[in-house]
């Protein structure tokens, strides 16, 4: 038995060595060739394609809807705020979407996710892309949380809220040879202080969709988006607070974002849609979040050290990051939208004003 185990171990290590020494050098020119001369000329034509986007009432989901609209796709927009969705639908029509429907659903509920997918397919007769984008954010140090059980809802929305629609959409995507797109986060690939639970929900998404991709083969393409900070209600400060309530907290947002730039959501979505149409496996934007992944892989202790130095507040209650932000006034470089206070628009399922759905 020991010998059998040893044999497998040797084979696995030899295989890894072959990948590094033989496969990588040989595949680089081929990949470069495909990247430069094949993919740019074989982008998917989206005219008449049917795309379901979750979390389309604001931020990244909203902007992706406009980008798809400009390419002539038909849209099914899903979120909980009806009025906000209807406003996005109207703009999407103006920007070229032949047909847009609005579906109010909470994606953390399996039955509501099923209904959203089925209504899309019964309306349009098919489904070509599912964009699982809906998500909520939380930041702050783990040991500052005062109501831990309130954080399970972030897993329910970010992880299960992607998995449920995916489950119900998969048969239709297989039938159309379609694509799955998931909006994870750069926080899912590298350890980032103050985001342990959020990062865990995002890492869970990545692992899930990577595994699914290996099960699906070439039937359905899977593109995993791992954006860094971009302007949206999340970076305007909307997050689950340490007591478990969803609220806007700009001070915590500043402590989190610190010196990092906050990108334009339009640029992210333009680049993301290009990537989706080319069938890329991953897209990380802004590209400054790519090197940390490499560091996390080969020297995790370096990243831990930097994060700890930048974010820990054991030295007088303000982290180094916060002190740099204050000393340099870098906050002035934040996009204007981040300096305007965000009022979370609350409404009931029927579009009435309410305070219960955040
Ligand atoms: N902004 C960033 O810097 C950044 C960076 C990396 C990754 N991301 C990820 O990008 C995705 C989109 O976020 P965003 O930045 O665009 O923030 P956002 O403006 O807050 O948008 C989040 C969207 O998700 C929807 N949503 C939340 N809970 C839902 C639920 N239970 N059921 C259905 N829809 C729900 C919201 O609509 P309703 O409230 O109307 O339901 C909203 O449309 C998230 O997965 C986020 O984690 C964002
Ligand atoms: C903690 O959050 C949960 C879920 O939101 C809630 O049911 C519970 O009442 C909260 N507990 C306290 C002590 O606030
Ligand atoms: C996928 C991944 O790298 N997740 C990271 C999330 O954050 C924790 C702790 O901060 C890290 O240990 C994980 O590696």
């Amino acid at each position: 038995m020991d010998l059998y185990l040893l044999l497998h171990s040797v084979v696995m290590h030899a295989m890894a060595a072959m990948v590094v020494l033989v496969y990588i050098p040989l595949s680089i020119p081929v990949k470069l060739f495909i990247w430069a001369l094949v993919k740019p000329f074989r982008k998917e034509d989206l005219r008449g394609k049917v795309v379901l986007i979750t979390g389309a009432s604001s931020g990244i989901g909203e902007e992706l809807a406009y980008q798809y609209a400009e390419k002539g796709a038909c849209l099914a927009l899903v979120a909980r705020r009806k009025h906000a969705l209807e406003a996005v639908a109207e703009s999407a029509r103006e920007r070229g979407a032949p047909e847009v429907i609005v579906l109010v659903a909470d994606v953390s509920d399996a039955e509501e996710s099923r209904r959203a997918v089925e209504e899309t397919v019964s309306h349009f007769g098919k489904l070509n892309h599912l964009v699982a984008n809906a998500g909520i954010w939380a930041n702050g140090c783990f040991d500052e949380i005062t109501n831990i059980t309130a954080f399970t809802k972030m897993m329910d929305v970010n992880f299960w809220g992607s998995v449920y629609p995916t489950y119900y959409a998969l048969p239709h995507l297989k039938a159309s040879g379609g694509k799955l797109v998931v909006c994870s986060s750069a926080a899912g690939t590298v350890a980032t202080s103050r985001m342990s639970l959020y990062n865990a929900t995002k890492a869970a998404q990545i692992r899930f969709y990577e595994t699914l991709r290996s099960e699906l083969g070439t039937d359905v393409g899977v593109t995993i988006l791992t954006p860094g900070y971009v302007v949206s209600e999340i970076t305007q400060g909307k997050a689950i607070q340490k007591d478990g309530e969803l609220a806007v907290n700009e001070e915590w947002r500043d402590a989190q974002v610190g010196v990092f730039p906050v990108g334009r959501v339009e640029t992210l979505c333009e680049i993301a849609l290009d990537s989706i149409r080319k069938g890329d496996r991953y897209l990380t934007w802004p590209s400054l979040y790519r090197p940390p992944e490499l560091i996390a892989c080969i020297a995790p202790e370096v990243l831990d050290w930097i994060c700890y130095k930048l974010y820990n507040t054991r030295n007088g209650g303000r982290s180094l990051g916060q002190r740099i932000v204050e000393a340099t006034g870098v906050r002035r470089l934040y996009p204007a939208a981040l300096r305007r206070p965000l009022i979370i628009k609350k409404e009931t399922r029927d579009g009435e004003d309410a305070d219960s759905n955040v």
Side-chain angles (χ1 to χ4, degrees), residues 44-53 61-77 88-101 120 123-124 126-131 179 181 273 276-277:
E44 183 181 354
D45 181 358
L46 293 173
R47 276 172 301 178
K49 295 282 171 75
V50 176
V51 179
L52 188 161
I53 304 176
E62 172 183 358
E63 184 56 35
L64 268 178
Y66 301 149
Q67 302 283 342
Y68 269 109
E70 284 172 7
K71 296 282 184 280
C74 298
L75 301 171
L77 305 179
V88 175
E90 194 45 48
S91 307
R93 284 185 202 107
E94 279 162 20
R95 291 171 74 158
E99 208 177 343
V100 186
I101 59 169
T120 304
H123 184 91
F124 291 108
K126 62 174 180 177
L127 179 65
N128 298 97
H129 288 197
L130 169 71
V131 182
K179 285 187 177 132
V181 179
L273 191 56
I276 294 164
R277 292 174 61 208

Side-chain angles (χ1 to χ4, degrees), residues 28-29 35 84 106 122 124 132 134 145 204 216 229 270 280 287 325:
I28 284 175
W35 172 78
D106 182 336
S122 67
F124 291 108
I145 290 173
L216 291 172
Y229 297 123
E270 231 167 79
D280 289 346
S287 57
V325 168

